[in-house]
Amino acid sequence: MSARLIFLLVLISMVLAGPALAQEPEVVLKKVAVFPFAVLAKEPREALGAKVREEFQERLKTEGFTLVPPEEVDRQVAALREPVSEPAAREIGHRLGADVVLFGRLVIVADLLSLEARILDLTGKMAPAALKAEGVGLTSLSGLSRQLAQEASLKILGKERITRIDTKGNRRIDKDAILSVMQTREGEIISPARLREDLKAIFKMGYFTNVKFDVSDTAEGRILTVVVQEKPAIRRIVVQGNRKIKEKKILDAIDLKPFTVASETAIRENVAKIQKLYTEKGFYQAKVDYELQPITDTESDLVFKIDEGGKVYVKEIKFEGNHAFKDKQLRGVMETKEKSLISFITGSGRLNREILERDVEKVAAFYFNHGYVRAKVGEPRVDIRQGNIYITIPVEEGPQFTVGKVDIQGDFIEDKAKLRERLAIVKEKVYSREVVQQDLTTLADLYADHGYANADVTPLIKEDDVNKKVDIVFDIRQGKKVYIERIEISGNVKTRDKVIRRELRVHEQELFSATKLKESMRNLRRLEYFEDVNFSTTPGTSPDRMNLKVAVKERPTGSFGIGAGYSTQDRLVGMVEISQTNLFGRGQQLRLQGIIGAISNRFRLSFTEPYLFDRPLSFGLDGFNWEREFDEYTRHSYGGSLRLGHPLRWKYTRLYGSYRFEYVDLKDLRRNTSTVLREAATIHTTSAVAMSLRRDSRDALFMPTKGSDNSLSMEMAGLGGDTAFMRFIAESGWYFPLWWKTVAVVHTRGGYMSKLPWGELPAYEKFYLGGIDTIRGFNFAEISPRDPRTNERIGGTSFSQINLEYRWPVPFLAKFGIMGTVFFDAGNVYGANYVPPVLRTSVGGGVRWYSPMGPLRIEWGYNLNPEPYERKSVWEFTVGGTF
């Protein structure tokens, strides 16, 4: 028997038989005798009792009752010569021919009032009833009288209010959930019509096989009980027929859980969720059904039965009605792609309805940006035939419009001609909505930089149908200058306010500036203390005041890093780093690095204070101890350095200075080692000062997408110590955002050094290349001039390096921030006494991810022209972790 039929039968039975759903009984109005109300008070107050009696009589008359004349009642009461008791009231009522008698008393104690009434049904159809109401002060007496009179009227009519609503039979569904769908409430009069609607609403919840109401009269009043019979509970959830999608993923996609009621509505909703999951994975022909298998009277197994069908891909995307642009051009702006040979890598060929809807908007925007201001892109038609998806998108292009007159009107903060020069649309031949929007942003930012934060820039567009031109007038209303009244910071649990404020380029009581606001956000993001940074504004205390709210979401800034590598030369090496880049929330950096392996042990401890004495002067200290076995020798060194840095007047530019002292000991040299290395073993101490100029405008430190990083450094050794040399290094990296969130990277680096007359230039101070941070595909420091007699690396006095990269979001993993990369590296190291060799080159690829464990790089490099003593390829990775 279907659930719908059961519901219909239950509903009919409740309407015909249920006490709460029966027709309203025909009311026979009764004759009522109202006795005078006795007044118990410290002073005589008989007038108050008469007033209460009048209120009761007035209410009963309104309801249509017949009243025994009060004078007849008074004569009978006077004959008693004592307070009215229940037996006396019954006797008088019978004598007067009343069906109901009502008597009571008013008790006054200080300011407290207690009004009591008793109802006696002389016909025997209703049990005696007592009513009571309490108040404070004589002013409340009228309200108490009316309230009690109304209750008495309803009691006599048999329509008394619901005192309480209970539920019965519900084991897993809360009482509040049932009461929330009902219209009937406690304190209301029972309405059969409303209860019928409540019955439907409770059934509609989908949790019950039977619902009925029970009404009972008790000493405390009428109680309405909702009696339900729950559907069986889900004992377990079973998935059948799934082969392409694991059961865990299916169960994660639904919100049904074991031991909940098997609601058909909820089950159908979750069937739709499983269907959507299969659709997202490309199984558009999948079918999902379900079955409830009874286990006991109260429990069932829910079985989802899945027919996955075949996986289908987008075979063809075509357009109808397009003449100005070919299908290929329009497909190029869409995120939805046709299946190709590399779909298993790119993920192309999958259909997502939400993405397809956005693609329609992108195609329309493409037309608008090429002058087709009246273009219309219709609803795509999706056909699935023979296991393939065919998408057809109708287009109405309309005529193409060119740019007509461009003008500016309204309020000017600079010469109109200069404002017009800032507009990009004047340089366009064909009208473009995107360019107009860019110009709106340009003008709005310009005015905002002058304090007009609420400037309104509106493009007035007029289409000339005859000449097919669009005239544009930028209407500017600057409004009042706005000052920043307060800057509020939220979300920083650990980071101190001053660490955030010192990165802001806007300040309280200063004019609003959009450019400075963008710089402030960029500075905060570059700190990499926060997962997210958001700015918002609220009105201040006056129209020319604005509050700035800076909301941040902190990320873990303490990290540990591990790395590993293996080569025939270096063998197994492990790298460990423990750091805190936001020490105690002050923005200070503390880092301990270590390399521990079979042939290398290196330790480094560094501390950096970015704002010494709360000024933009960075200060740092380093200490290190390094021992490494090379093929040629074992190097042991220790020392330290001191660092200073200060920003310059030019944006993104800083000047750095440092001092380094290092003691080096070369040992375990071969018996017939190179003369250059043997000389280096006798040179031990280096005392050097360095200065560098750096301009860094990157939008991020680990995976930047735009900006550049350029530096020029100079180091001079010879202020004491054994060594004396000059070293110059120039470095430049550029990041270019491309289509589809991809990034091109060009990085170059070069250096030169020379010996000074009063000291030495040992081999261990010279240049070497190779490794994940220089030329990939080579082992660490593998690229170097070599002694022609021993073939040992002896370092060079100059080098050149170039790295070209193309980075892109990895399909299906882009939402996690995972980027793929391919690269070409080239470079070499040159010696003073040797002919410069050709560039050493490598190609390769890898992935980068700001993982929960910190920045991660995995890269593989292939040596394009290896020497006999070099490997053809090298795998390297570094990974950090957060705590």
Side-chain angles (χ1 to χ4, degrees):
M1 183 179 294
S2 69
R4 186 176 295 179
L5 181 57
I6 292 174
F7 170 77
L8 184 59
L9 293 176
V10 172
L11 180 60
I12 293 173
S13 66
M14 295 304 296
V15 171
L16 296 179
L21 300 182
Q23 293 290 328
E24 287 271 16
E26 183 180 352
V27 177
V28 178
L29 297 178
K30 301 177 181 180
K31 187 176 182 180
V32 183
V34 183
F35 286 61
F37 274 70
V39 180
L40 302 180
K42 191 174 182 179
E43 298 177 359
R45 297 287 184 92
E46 288 79 6
L48 296 179
K51 184 178 180 181
V52 171
R53 181 188 192 186
E54 290 174 3
E55 292 280 1
F56 273 80
Q57 289 175 333
E58 188 66 31
R59 179 67 187 185
L60 294 172
K61 282 181 182 178
T62 303
E63 294 292 342
F65 288 101
T66 301
L67 297 179
V68 175
E71 57 272 13
E72 293 185 13
V73 177
D74 291 343
R75 282 197 297 270
Q76 295 291 335
V77 172
L80 286 176
R81 297 182 180 179
E82 62 182 18
V84 177
S85 62
E86 184 173 325
R90 285 182 181 275
E91 183 179 344
I92 293 173
H94 283 300
R95 222 177 324 186
L96 296 174
D99 299 313
V100 176
V101 295
L102 191 153
F103 64 99
R105 65 180 183 174
L106 171 64
V107 181
I108 304 175
V109 180
D111 289 337
L112 302 177
L113 303 184
S114 177
L115 183 59
E116 303 170 359
R118 190 156 179 81
I119 302 172
L120 300 178
D121 187 347
L122 303 184
T123 64
K125 295 181 180 179
M126 183 180 74
L131 305 175
K132 185 176 182 179
E134 295 180 340
V136 179
L138 292 177
T139 55
S140 66
L141 181 58
S142 294
L144 297 178
S145 300
R146 287 193 296 272
Q147 174 188 339
L148 223 59
Q150 183 181 14
E151 294 294 333
S153 173
L154 294 174
K155 196 76 173 176
I156 297 170
L157 287 170
K159 289 185 176 181
E160 58 267 46
R161 300 179 185 277
I162 300 170
T163 303
R164 191 172 74 247
I165 301 177
D166 289 336
T167 58
K168 183 179 179 182
N170 53 310
R171 302 185 307 278
R172 293 179 174 85
I173 306 304
D174 290 339
K175 173 183 175 180
D176 291 343
I178 298 173
L179 299 185
S180 66
V181 302
M182 295 176 59
Q183 299 179 30
T184 304
R185 296 286 183 266
E186 293 179 355
E188 296 180 349
I189 299 171
I190 290 179
S191 167
R194 186 174 293 177
L195 286 179
R196 281 192 287 270
E197 294 301 318
D198 290 341
L199 181 70
K200 296 177 184 178
I202 296 172
F203 262 116
K204 195 175 181 180
M205 293 175 72
Y207 298 127
F208 310 109
T209 57
N210 191 16
V211 181
K212 64 179 181 179
F213 296 121
D214 178 62
V215 181
S216 58
D217 291 315
T218 67
E220 58 180 303
R222 277 197 166 181
I223 297 177
L224 174 64
T225 303
V226 184
V227 184
V228 298
Q229 181 179 346
E230 286 185 353
K231 292 180 177 180
I234 298 172
R235 189 186 69 162
R236 65 190 182 109
I237 300 175
V238 181
V239 181
Q240 295 179 352
N242 60 306
R243 296 183 302 277
K244 301 297 184 180
I245 300 180
K246 294 181 180 180
E247 181 176 335
K248 185 179 184 302
K249 286 190 175 181
I250 295 174
L251 295 179
D252 288 343
I254 65 177
D255 54 22
L256 279 176
K257 305 298 178 186
F259 310 112
T260 58
V261 176
S263 165
E264 291 183 10
T265 302
I267 294 174
R268 286 193 293 270
E269 288 176 355
N270 282 273
V271 165
K273 290 179 180 179
I274 298 174
Q275 191 82 50
K276 182 181 178 182
L277 176 64
Y278 270 91
T279 300
E280 291 173 349
K281 298 295 183 181
F283 296 90
Y284 295 93
Q285 295 176 317
K287 296 179 181 179
V288 183
D289 201 355
Y290 74 94
E291 180 184 358
L292 284 170
Q293 297 178 350
I295 304 301
T296 65
D297 292 340
T298 59
E299 291 184 326
S300 296
D301 285 347
L302 173 59
V303 181
F304 288 108
K305 298 183 175 181
I306 301 173
D307 179 5
E308 294 182 330
K311 197 170 188 178
V312 293
Y313 292 90
V314 177
K315 176 71 173 179
E316 181 183 63
I317 302 175
K318 65 179 182 178
F319 296 82
E320 290 180 346
N322 56 310
H323 304 290
F325 303 102
K326 296 180 180 179
D327 285 12
K328 183 178 180 180
Q329 290 176 279
L330 299 179
R331 285 195 295 264
V333 303
M334 296 176 61
E335 189 174 346
T336 304
K337 302 295 181 183
E338 297 174 343
K339 184 182 179 182
S340 65
L341 294 176
I342 58 172
S343 289
F344 68 96
I345 297 176
T346 64
S348 61
R350 293 189 177 184
L351 175 62
N352 184 306
R353 295 281 183 173
E354 295 179 0
I355 294 177
L356 185 59
E357 290 177 6
R358 293 201 299 267
D359 285 337
V360 170
E361 297 174 1
K362 290 180 180 179
V363 172
F366 180 80
Y367 271 98
F368 298 151
N369 295 332
H370 287 80
Y372 295 89
V373 296
R374 296 179 182 173
K376 296 179 181 178
V377 182
E379 188 73 19
R381 297 195 304 271
V382 179
D383 299 319
I384 301 177
R385 302 191 304 269
Q386 298 177 351
N388 292 311
I389 301 173
Y390 297 85
I391 301 174
T392 304
I393 303 176
V395 175
E396 293 181 18
E397 293 181 334
Q400 186 182 45
F401 284 73
T402 58
V403 176
K405 298 178 181 178
V406 180
D407 197 7
I408 302 175
Q409 67 181 28
D411 304 322
F412 301 120
I413 60 173
E414 61 181 38
D415 185 72
K416 180 177 178 180
K418 290 184 177 180
L419 284 177
R420 197 173 184 278
E421 289 176 1
R422 297 178 182 271
L423 301 178
I425 193 64
V426 298
K427 303 171 186 177
E428 300 288 330
K429 181 180 179 182
V430 176
Y431 175 80
S432 170
R433 182 182 293 182
E434 183 179 17
V435 175
V436 171
Q437 187 60 46
Q438 291 173 357
D439 288 340
L440 288 178
T441 302
T442 300
L443 292 174
D445 285 350
L446 174 65
Y447 276 73
D449 285 342
H450 287 76
Y452 299 102
N454 298 321
D456 184 19
V457 183
T458 305
L460 305 178
I461 307 298
K462 184 179 179 181
E463 299 170 6
D464 183 353
D465 291 325
V466 177
N467 299 310
K468 298 296 183 290
K469 292 181 178 292
V470 177
D471 296 332
I472 310 163
V473 178
F474 292 93
D475 183 61
I476 304 175
R477 295 290 178 263
Q478 66 184 24
K480 293 184 176 181
K481 285 191 174 184
V482 177
Y483 293 82
I484 296 177
E485 185 171 18
R486 272 195 344 269
I487 298 177
E488 302 173 3
I489 300 173
S490 64
N492 54 318
V493 178
K494 175 183 177 182
T495 307
R496 302 193 179 193
D497 276 14
K498 75 173 186 178
V499 173
I500 297 174
R501 287 181 181 273
R502 69 195 186 194
E503 300 298 332
L504 301 179
R505 296 298 172 262
V506 291
H507 304 285
E508 293 172 340
Q509 310 310 318
E510 288 187 357
L511 276 175
F512 180 91
S513 171
T515 300
K516 290 183 178 180
L517 205 63
K518 292 176 182 178
E519 285 184 33
S520 301
M521 179 172 288
R522 172 190 168 278
N523 290 346
L524 289 176
R525 291 185 184 278
R526 275 173 50 88
L527 290 176
E528 297 190 348
Y529 299 164
F530 312 110
E531 290 183 13
D532 195 17
V533 179
N534 286 302
F535 286 9
S536 61
T537 58
T538 58
T541 56
S542 60
D544 64 341
R545 298 290 184 216
M546 175 184 291
N547 297 323
L548 175 64
K549 292 187 176 181
V550 182
V552 299
K553 182 180 180 182
E554 292 183 321
R555 65 158 42 119
T557 53
S559 69
F560 67 88
I562 59 172
Y566 182 84
S567 72
T568 56
Q569 180 175 347
D570 294 333
R571 287 179 281 175
L572 185 63
V573 174
M575 289 155 280
V576 178
E577 176 181 317
I578 301 175
S579 68
Q580 174 56 261
T581 58
N582 188 14
L583 188 64
F584 306 123
R586 298 174 180 269
Q588 298 166 338
Q589 300 173 15
L590 182 65
R591 179 170 298 168
L592 174 63
Q593 297 170 303
I595 297 177
I596 305 172
I599 61 174
S600 179
N601 292 282
R602 181 175 182 178
F603 301 94
R604 184 184 186 92
L605 177 65
S606 65
F607 171 79
T608 301
E609 167 58 74
Y611 272 74
L612 188 63
F613 308 124
D614 287 330
R615 298 179 61 84
L617 174 66
S618 64
F619 170 78
L621 290 171
D622 302 280
F624 57 88
N625 190 327
W626 182 18
E627 182 172 297
R628 179 185 176 89
E629 294 180 18
F630 293 91
D631 286 348
E632 297 84 358
Y633 50 79
T634 298
R635 171 179 171 169
H636 178 238
S637 62
Y638 59 86
S641 63
L642 183 148
R643 295 173 280 110
L644 293 171
H646 194 279
L648 300 181
R649 57 180 296 184
W650 302 284
K651 189 184 295 185
Y652 313 130
T653 307
R654 293 180 72 93
L655 181 66
Y656 296 91
S658 65
Y659 171 76
R660 173 173 65 98
F661 179 84
E662 183 175 6
Y663 180 88
V664 179
D665 185 22
L666 300 187
K667 54 186 179 181
D668 300 331
L669 278 71
R670 297 173 182 175
R671 183 172 300 176
N672 61 340
T673 191
S674 167
T675 304
V676 175
L677 298 182
R678 191 169 298 279
E679 290 176 354
T682 64
I683 304 169
H684 298 291
T685 58
T686 297
S687 176
V689 294
M691 183 174 292
S692 63
L693 184 66
R694 182 177 184 182
R695 185 184 186 276
D696 185 359
S697 63
R698 295 175 297 170
D699 59 344
L701 299 182
F702 178 57
M703 285 193 294
T705 60
K706 61 182 177 180
S708 65
D709 184 11
N710 305 276
S711 65
L712 180 65
S713 64
M714 175 190 71
E715 184 180 33
M716 186 183 79
L719 303 178
D722 301 329
T723 64
F725 58 83
M726 293 290 293
R727 181 183 356 233
F728 302 91
I729 296 178
E731 185 171 3
S732 180
W734 295 81
Y735 304 84
F736 305 96
L738 303 177
W739 53 90
W740 302 324
K741 298 182 179 180
T742 60
V743 180
V745 182
V746 179
H747 175 255
T748 61
R749 188 166 166 259
Y752 170 79
M753 66 190 307
S754 64
K755 176 179 172 297
L756 294 176
W758 62 86
E760 301 296 334
L761 177 55
Y764 57 78
E765 287 288 358
K766 295 182 180 180
F767 295 123
Y768 298 84
L769 291 179
I772 195 170
D773 293 319
T774 55
I775 306 295
R776 290 156 286 192
F778 294 83
N779 289 320
F780 174 72
E782 190 170 38
I783 302 176
S784 165
R786 294 178 179 259
D787 189 295
R789 181 175 60 85
T790 64
N791 200 40
E792 293 173 311
R793 294 171 294 178
I794 57 176
T797 56
S798 62
F799 77 95
S800 61
Q801 170 190 336
I802 183 169
N803 310 99
L804 304 178
E805 284 194 35
Y806 178 70
R807 302 173 185 172
W808 70 94
V810 177
F812 316 123
L813 300 176
K815 60 182 179 181
F816 301 110
I818 298 178
M819 299 282 288
T821 180
V822 291
F823 61 81
F824 169 79
D825 292 348
N828 213 330
V829 182
Y830 313 104
N833 301 321
Y834 303 98
V835 177
V838 296
L839 290 176
R840 307 304 308 278
T841 55
S842 66
V843 295
V847 294
R848 297 188 180 190
W849 178 34
Y850 208 118
S851 72
M853 295 179 62
L856 177 147
R857 290 175 63 186
I858 302 176
E859 294 178 8
W860 172 82
Y862 181 80
N863 189 336
L864 291 176
N865 189 21
E867 298 289 346
Y869 47 82
E870 295 173 340
R871 300 185 65 187
K872 290 185 177 181
S873 64
V874 175
W875 276 100
E876 291 183 285
F877 79 88
T878 59
V879 62
T882 58
F883 59 86

